[in-house]
Amino acid sequence: QKEVEQDPGPLSVPEGAIVSLNCTYSNSAFQYFMWYRQYSRKGPELLMYTYSSGNKEDGRFTAQVDKSSKYISLFIRDSQPSDSATYLCAMIGQAGTALIFGKGTTLSVSS
Amino acid sequence: GAGVSQSPSNKVTEKGKDVELRCDPISGHTALYWYRQSLGQGLEFLIYFQGNSAPDKSGLPSDRFSAERTGGSVSTLTIQRTQQEDSAVYLCASSRGRPDNSPLHFGNGTRLTVT
């Protein structure tokens, strides 16, 4: 079992839809959870950062962490065509030296 | 200010040749990372430099891979005797400190194709 599992999709939704992206993980030492967005032929950019369990909201984006279930989610409200990208979850423990990434989910939002 | 810069953006090489990939991190960032992104495989950690500490090389897939960081700034990833399975996008990232409290800033990568 890989440390971080993420459904690669692709996921296609119409403009305005609510999108739910998810990752599961196996290492209970992970405490810091991030979502990166990657456009085609570009490097990933940080979208959301969460420490431990709970929710964090930033505009149309909400990140949720459930450490008891080892499950994290990213919700996108009122999705836009500009949200079309690959979304990568990433996580690390306090003693870790490098982020562990999921494989990424490719999202396409059609107008 | 300038972001993380990687060169070349694309590299095509013949199997068995050596290649060098360059990364210029953001000025003042003490941490530097190399990741590899293959189709359908996500980002694979290769190596991590933090200040003057010994690098964490635990992700390097074989002894054909090596990296150095000169003067705490520019880094070069070298792949010797390239194989077709080395074809991937090699991404460099830098940050102000530890990855648990400092966001990684990625370059746009070097797309390596081994023929």
Side-chain angles (χ1 to χ4, degrees):
Chain A
Q1 180 189 13
K2 289 184 72 69
E3 279 195 291
V4 180
E5 300 277 4
Q6 184 177 9
D7 186 340
L11 182 61
S12 295
V13 301
E15 183 175 356
I18 296 174
V19 175
S20 172
L21 305 168
N22 312 291
C23 288
T24 59
Y25 62 96
S26 57
N27 190 342
S28 57
F30 289 149
Q31 292 184 297
Y32 304 88
F33 304 91
M34 297 137 211
W35 287 94
Y36 280 78
R37 178 175 61 193
Q38 185 176 24
Y39 291 113
S40 180
R41 297 198 171 253
K42 298 291 187 182
E45 57 179 342
L46 181 66
L47 197 58
M48 297 288 281
Y49 170 94
T50 311
Y51 169 67
S52 195
S53 285
N55 295 358
K56 183 173 183 178
E57 187 174 321
D58 184 0
R60 296 184 296 110
F61 299 89
T62 299
Q64 285 186 351
V65 175
D66 182 349
K67 290 192 68 181
S68 63
S69 301
K70 296 191 179 68
Y71 187 88
I72 70 170
S73 302
L74 177 70
F75 297 95
I76 307 174
R77 291 183 299 280
D78 187 23
S79 55
Q80 303 295 309
S82 58
D83 295 329
S84 297
T86 296
Y87 291 80
L88 299 138
C89 62
M91 49 199 77
I92 189 169
Q94 198 145 22
T97 56
L99 291 180
I100 307 300
F101 283 84
K103 290 186 178 181
T105 300
T106 299
L107 171 67
S108 177
V109 181
S110 56
S111 57
Chain B
V4 176
S5 177
Q6 292 188 246
S7 60
S9 54
N10 287 282
K11 177 72 176 178
V12 180
T13 190
E14 292 180 352
K15 177 182 171 181
K17 300 283 190 183
D18 297 352
V19 294
E20 284 190 353
L21 313 179
R22 177 187 168 102
C23 173
D24 280 275
I26 293 173
S27 178
H29 280 192
T30 58
L32 187 147
Y33 309 78
W34 284 97
Y35 280 85
R36 178 169 70 177
Q37 187 172 33
S38 306
L39 196 61
Q41 295 302 312
L43 269 72
E44 175 189 6
F45 165 71
L46 297 178
I47 189 168
Y48 163 56
F49 296 89
Q50 174 60 274
N52 296 320
S53 302
D56 177 354
K57 305 179 182 180
S58 60
L60 295 178
S62 78
D63 59 7
R64 296 186 295 105
F65 288 73
S66 63
E68 63 177 20
R69 188 178 184 190
T70 53
S73 182
V74 172
S75 178
T76 303
L77 177 68
T78 301
I79 309 173
Q80 295 179 309
R81 305 181 302 282
T82 51
Q83 304 295 310
Q84 287 187 329
E85 61 263 28
D86 299 335
S87 296
V89 177
Y90 289 81
L91 290 162
C92 175
S94 69
S95 70
R96 293 186 183 279
R98 285 186 47 77
D100 53 354
N101 59 22
S102 304
L104 270 62
H105 297 262
F106 282 87
N108 289 329
T110 293
R111 187 172 300 270
L112 176 65
T113 303
V114 182
T115 61

